[in-house]
């Protein structure tokens, strides 16, 4: 029978306390944000709101969904996230499958990819390149520059290496091509790794705000994170599409909280469906034989 020493029990106790504190530090700000978004202007201005709504009302959410700037930015973010994730996953999985094989020049090619992970061209060269390619003010300026990530490539490539080669050899004997083996054997068996890397890419696209401000001249084309950045930094009634009477009746802080809370919901809703793959996806993908 496995015996837990006194030192192990003490370590586990403090470990649980530490993890609970970290969880609370993530959960309580979100709870405070939700309470603010559902509270009245008087309660917010009087600093009466903590973790529970005061003078409950949902006017901030009604106003947020009527704001065409917010809904338009959300549509841009959804399109960007879906398109960017599909493009990145196609590039990374096909490159990872090829690099999981032994061929001449493979190590040199990997060093080139790792070099891009450690060093980048910088902001100005990237901006000039996107502009010269005619991508500025298009959705491609948001999805193509970051479509390939060496870190994600290494995770997927190492995950592919854990699949027994005997499966591939048996498929070759049955007449399958590389593409068929990749699509019918490697992709289905690599679901934990694909889900993990896919979530990394999805969250990256959803939260990215700087490239939207950098490459989009028209604010109507801003993704949601860029739009929220302007709202939080500028903090004006005009950026929240509030009329003079609405600004007098509603709290700007409440609308900001509602917009930020709504913007985090998609990722929060998607995460539980992919969370079960995380440990296996990260651990197997991080192992180098």
């Amino acid at each position: 029978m496995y015996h837990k020493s006194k030192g192990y029990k003490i370590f586990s106790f403090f470990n649980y306390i530490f993890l609970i504190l970290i969880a609370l530090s993530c959960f309580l700000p979100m709870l405070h944000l939700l309470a603010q978004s559902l509270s009245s202007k008087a309660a917010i201005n009087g600093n009466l709101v903590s973790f529970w709504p005061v003078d409950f009302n949902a006017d901030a959410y009604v106003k947020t969904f009527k704001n065409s700037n917010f809904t338009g930015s959300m549509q841009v973010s959804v399109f960007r996230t879906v398109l960017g994730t599909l493009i990145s996953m196609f590039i990374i999985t096909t490159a990872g499958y090829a690099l999981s094989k032994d061929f001449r020049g493979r190590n040199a090619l990997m060093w080139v990819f790792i070099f891009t992970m450690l060093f980048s061209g910088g902001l100005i060269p990237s901006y000039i390149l996107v502009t010269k390619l005619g991508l500025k003010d298009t959705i491609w300026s948001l999805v193509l520059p970051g479509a390939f990530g060496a870190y994600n490539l290494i995770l997927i490539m190492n995950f592919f290496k854990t699949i027994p080669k005997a499966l591939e050899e048996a498929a070759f004997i049955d007449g399958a091509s590389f593409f068929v083996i990749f699509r019918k054997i490697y992709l289905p068996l690599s679901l934990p790794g694909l889900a993990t890397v896919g979530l990394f890419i999805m969250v990256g696209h959803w939260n990215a705000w700087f490239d939207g401000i950098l490459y989009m001249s028209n604010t109507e084309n801003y993704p949601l994170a860029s739009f929220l950045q302007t709202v939080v930094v500028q903090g004006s009634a005009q950026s929240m599409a509030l009329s003079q009477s609405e600004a007098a009746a509603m709290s700007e802080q409440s609308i900001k909280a509602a917009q930020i809370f709504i913007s985090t919901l998609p990722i929060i809703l998607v995460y539980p469906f992919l969370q079960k793959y995380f440990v296996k996806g990260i651990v197997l993908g991080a192992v180098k034989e």
Side-chain angles (χ1 to χ4, degrees):
M1 183 176 179
Y2 180 69
H3 174 70
K4 293 181 179 178
S5 65
K6 186 177 179 180
Y8 179 83
K9 291 178 181 177
I10 294 174
F11 170 78
S12 297
F13 173 76
F14 284 104
N15 197 23
Y16 278 119
I17 296 294
F18 179 67
L19 292 176
I20 289 172
L21 290 176
I22 290 179
L24 288 177
S25 69
C26 298
F27 176 70
L28 292 180
M30 288 297 298
L31 189 60
H32 177 65
L33 204 65
L34 178 62
Q36 277 196 326
S37 67
L38 294 171
S39 299
S40 67
K41 182 176 182 177
I44 293 174
N45 291 341
N47 286 327
L48 302 177
V49 183
S50 55
F51 302 115
W52 193 256
V54 179
D55 300 333
F56 180 89
N57 73 77
D59 293 344
Y61 287 91
V62 175
K63 184 61 188 174
T64 297
F65 282 112
K66 285 183 178 178
N67 184 351
S68 59
N69 294 329
F70 180 85
T71 54
S73 295
M74 178 167 274
Q75 290 175 2
V76 173
S77 271
V78 170
F79 184 59
R80 171 199 180 155
T81 302
V82 173
L83 181 64
T85 303
L86 289 176
I87 291 174
S88 294
M89 289 302 293
F90 175 77
I91 294 173
I92 290 170
T93 53
T94 51
Y97 176 62
L99 291 169
S100 67
K101 313 299 177 190
D102 291 326
F103 58 89
R104 183 178 297 178
R106 173 182 170 279
N107 290 336
L109 200 57
M110 277 305 302
W111 276 113
V112 172
F113 291 143
I114 291 174
F115 183 83
T116 65
M117 186 171 68
L118 301 176
F119 305 98
S120 69
L123 179 61
I124 295 176
S126 300
Y127 180 81
I128 294 174
L129 178 64
V130 169
T131 304
K132 293 294 183 184
L133 290 175
L135 302 179
K136 198 168 180 290
D137 291 320
T138 68
I139 191 69
W140 302 112
S141 65
L142 304 179
V143 298
L144 290 184
F148 176 82
Y151 175 75
N152 293 331
L153 170 70
I154 293 171
L155 283 179
I156 289 294
M157 184 186 69
N158 286 335
F159 205 97
F160 284 158
K161 284 183 177 180
T162 63
I163 297 175
K165 291 185 177 179
L167 283 175
E168 190 174 36
E169 292 169 357
F172 275 132
I173 293 173
D174 290 339
S177 64
F178 277 112
F179 180 75
V180 172
I181 294 171
F182 169 68
R183 184 167 59 87
K184 293 190 174 181
I185 295 179
Y186 275 75
L187 290 185
L189 293 179
S190 305
L191 194 57
L194 298 178
T196 303
V197 172
L199 185 60
F200 286 164
I201 297 171
M202 196 184 306
V203 172
H205 275 294
W206 188 263
N207 290 333
W209 62 271
F210 185 66
D211 53 356
I213 293 176
L214 186 65
Y215 297 130
M216 293 296 177
S217 303
N218 189 347
T219 56
E220 293 181 356
N221 296 327
Y222 276 2
L224 189 57
S226 302
F227 170 76
L228 288 177
Q229 200 274 342
T230 60
V231 169
V232 172
V233 172
Q234 295 174 6
S236 65
Q238 185 180 2
S239 62
M240 287 178 274
L242 286 176
S243 64
Q244 193 170 0
S245 59
E246 287 174 330
M250 301 175 66
S251 168
E252 292 180 7
Q253 189 64 29
S254 177
I255 296 178
K256 283 182 191 176
Q259 291 178 340
I260 295 172
F261 188 78
I262 293 171
S263 70
T264 59
L265 273 183
I267 296 300
I268 293 175
L269 294 176
V270 168
Y271 182 79
F273 296 100
L274 301 179
Q275 188 271 339
K276 62 182 178 182
Y277 299 114
F278 250 48
V279 174
K280 190 175 180 182
I282 287 291
V283 172
L284 289 183
V287 173
K288 186 179 185 303
E289 293 181 354

